[in-house]
Structures are given as structure tokens and as C-alpha cells.
Amino acid sequence: MPEAQVFDVVVVGSGGGAMTAAHLAQKRGLRTVVVEKTDKLGGTSAYSGGACWLPGSDVQQRAGIADSTESARTYLGAILDHPDRDKIEAFLLQAPRVVAALEEDPALVFEWLPFPEYFDAPGRVSWGRSIQPTNVRRDELPAEVAGLVRPPVERDRAGEGGRNTLSGGQALIARLLWAFVRDGGTVLTSHCVDGLLREGERVVGVRARTGDGVVEVHALRGVVIAAGGFERNQAWRSEHGVPGDAAWSMAPAGTNAGEPIAAAVEAGAATDLLDQGWFCPGLEQPDGGGSFTLGFRSGVMVDHEGRRYANECLPYDRFGRAMAAAPGRIPSWFVFDSREGGRLPAIAMPEGDPAEHLAAGTWVRGDSLQELADRLDLPALPETVERFNGFAEKGLDEDFGRGSDEYDTFFAGGDGPDKALVPVDQPPFYAARFVLSDLGTKGGLVTDAHARVLRSDGSAIPGLYATGNSSASVVGAVYPGPGVPLGTAMVFASLAAEDLAG
Ligand code: FAD
């Protein structure tokens, strides 16, 4: 017989949604366990910037931001396709409440994060309405908490430990974990959940593979699946038509392959949006991995002929969708000049070492644009750059409108008539190979306004909840602004915790 452990609530996964559900359930007196596949907590959430799109909270009020639930409702109403009105309303009403509930705990403190939203639409707040957890020093944290949090992406991929100051997603996971273990919560690492325990219709626990065999973890109240998407499962990606590749995804290696989603489907759950992800251009790494890249300050992105096809300063999900929209764009080449000393004029997480890129051929250097065009077989490149440089001189991108939105100019630093339009004219020139990366898939289990997992007939499976990228996103195929993956995950996590507490 497998070893069995009994709790009130089993939370599968340990990202922002999982840890919010776990903390709030434990705080309400429910004995809660976090069951995590790897030996580190936090998943992709720990790699993240920790931005949380949670409109209308006290944090924005404190910062004097012109944000409100009403303006967020207007914004979502203007940009979403086919929204589920009940779930959107539940999200909007719960967002300020979850922030208030979290900030009741001294371990959890948030602040406003200036970062523009991704659409110029009614209800948008200038410079954004996202919030983030404040930084926390490693020596402020209990040792068992500090040691468990997954390091930032560049250090994790290099096999290094975390920094002395935890910021962004690391701070979010550390702060939630701190409160959870202080309140008596239990953490099981290196447990891969691949089955659900059922009694009749009801889900009563999980089955997990461990280094010591299979274990059962029983849940008297319910199970919350918050185990990411299936971005690291290439077979599923191909089956459901998710653009990109498992190897280019930003989820930590060995994490999100969708076993808990499959287990829920086995228990009768419906799924939706299975071809969707949170996309981004990915700087290809010498080892073939991808790297989340945003905030281009100069340079142009070209297709297999050397032609531009979109505004390079678009919000990253929108640029990623442009990459996937036509053949010949994956890979693309990002062509830049030497004005930043041969470094990529953008934020890439991780960037990698330029010398290693050049040695691996993921970057190519040329003394002239013609040389790059010849070496990479990009015949239109010289003409493309000449045309773009003309736009930079005029301050107007006549082809793709780069520089026309506040998001475009947020990261840009040019000193011409439009600071997002910087000429590519300082040799030597570089071309960096880009693939389509993602911050996770966002199709999965269909849930209701209480985060209960639904069957295809709309009935709830008793005892089963889902949030984050394990669930079909409430925002559908749209990425409204910074912090939406985490913010929506945290809201539905808190609704699950409330429902579980009855
Ligand atoms: P994850 O955070 O990936 O957590 C899933 C966890 O479940 C993992 O630890 C995994 O090991 C575990 N798991 C998987 N399968 C199993 C199993 N079978 N059994 C047990 N455990 C399992 N989003 C924002 O909202 N704001 C940002 O600022 C932001 N910045 C980002 C910056 C970077 C560099 C990256 C890469 C992403 C960023 N994102 C951001 C996106 C965001 O981090 C993710 O989309 C989101 O965190 C996913 O949350 P999740 O809980 O669904 O999955």
C-alpha cells in the first residue's frame, strides 16, 4: 500500500497562484500542503518580474494612480474577445480584496510598478496599474524559505543559487511561502502529481511520483491544480497547435508538462484555449533555448528575406503573435548596430555572453549591412535599413507606426524626433537570431467564477479547483498588460481558497 498523508487542502504546484491559494487556505485554518514536482518552489513565477495586474486595490490608491475597478472594466471590455462576463466580474471585484487579504499579513507588502499597459484602449491607465511585492533580503527570511525559492532565470539556468536580495517573482514566492510555513503549512518537493484520487464524483486527493515511489496525498476539502501549463510538453504543443517549441519556452526545465491537467481531464474536466500561450520574441541561446526579450531600444527585426513585418516596440505578446502570423518569421534576425558597444539593445532574460553567441552563430557580425545580408541570405536587408533610417530621421515609422504608443517609448532612449526610432548606422553591425518563445501556455481546465473545474456540461467536479496556466485564461487569447498572468492566477486562487473554506 502506498504511504498516505491527509490534509484539508492539496495545492499542486508552487507558482504565484498556488502559493496564494496555499497561504490563504492555511490562514483560514485549513491544513494545507503544497505538492511541487521539482526541488525548488516558484516555477516560472519565480523567474517573473513579479508584476501583478490587480486593479483597484489600496496599493494603486496609495501611489495616487488614476486606477479603479471601473476603468479596468472599461479596458477589459474594450480589448477582450468573447469574455466570460461572470468570470471577468468575479476577477474585477476580487482583485482589490485579494490584495487587502494578502497585505493583512506583515510578510506581504506591495508597491506600484510603472509599466504601461499593452493596448491603447479606453480605461488604460497611463504608465500602468500593476503592482509588485517589495524586495526582501535573504537574511530576513527563515533559512528553509530562502533555500527553497527558485533562483532568477539566468542563475538557475547556469546552476547558480539566488541573490542576496530577492525581487520581483522571487520576492512574491518567498513572501507567500514565508507566511505559509509560519502559519504551519506543509511543503512536499520532488513530488510529480500525475493522478487524482476520487470517491465517486468527488476528488479527494492526488497521486504523486517521488524518488521513493508513488504516494497518495489526501484532501478532505479539495485539490487546487496550479501547476502551470504544458509549455514543456512538445507532444501536446504539436497536438494542440501551440506556436513555438517546448525548448524555447521560458518555464524552468523539468517543470510544466501538464500531468495534472491530464489527470483532471481523466476525471471529466473540460478544456479550452489549448492553442494559446503568453508569447514573446525569444533571443535564441547558444544551447538552443529561448530568452524572454522586450524593450528594444534600437535595431530592426527582419524575416527570412530581410524585411520588417511589425513594430519591434510592440508589447511582447503582440510581437510574438506577429512572428507566428506568417511563414518565414521563425527564426527572425534582429539587426542592430554598435551604439551599445556590441551588446543587445534590449532587455533579454537571459542575454547570454555576446562572445559565446558569436562563436555559436546565434549572433553574426558584419562590417557592413551588405556583408550581413550576404552571410545570412537576407537580400532585402540593406534596403530595409535604409528605409527605416529615413523614418528615424523624419520621426515617423510609415510602415508600422513604431513610437506612436506610450509603450513603444517607455524603454526607448533615442535622441531623434521620435525616441523609439533610432537609426541603424554605426558599424560593425550584428544580427541576433530570434525564435518564438512563451511565458507559458494559457489553455487548460475550464473553471467557473469560484475557480471550480467544470465538465463540458457546465457542472462542477466536486473538490477540484484550478488557477494560473493550468486553467483556460479568463482573458482568452489577449494579454492586456503587465502582471495579468500572475494577477489572474492569484485572484482565482483566492476565490478557490474562499470556496474551500466554505
Ligand atoms: P508556474 O509559476 O510555472 O508554476 C508551476 C509550478 O508547478 C512549477 O513549480 C512546476 O514545477 C509545478 N508543477 C508542474 N507540474 C507539476 C506536477 N505534475 N506535480 C507537481 N507540481 C508540478 N507574469 C506576470 O504576471 N508578471 C510578470 O512580471 C511576469 N514576468 C515574467 C518574467 C519572466 C522572465 C518570465 C519567464 C515570465 C514572466 N511572467 C510574468 C509570466 C508568468 O511568470 C507565468 O506565466 C506565470 O507565473 C505562470 O504561473 P503558474 O503558477 O501557472 O505556473
Side-chain angles (χ1 to χ4, degrees), residues 13 36-37 43-45 48-51 193 227-228 256 259-260 439 469 483 485-486:
E36 162 58 43
K37 179 177 179 178
T44 321
S45 303
S48 79
V193 170
N256 305 340
E259 305 91 345
L439 312 180
N469 292 346
L486 285 173

Side-chain angles (χ1 to χ4, degrees), residues 6 196-206 216-221 223 267 455 461-464:
V6 182
L196 296 175
L197 308 178
R198 284 189 280 165
E199 274 174 20
E201 302 257 283
R202 190 171 187 82
V203 171
V204 295
V206 300
E216 292 185 351
V217 188
H218 291 256
L220 299 176
R221 295 284 181 106
V223 171
R455 303 183 183 92
I461 299 176
L464 190 60

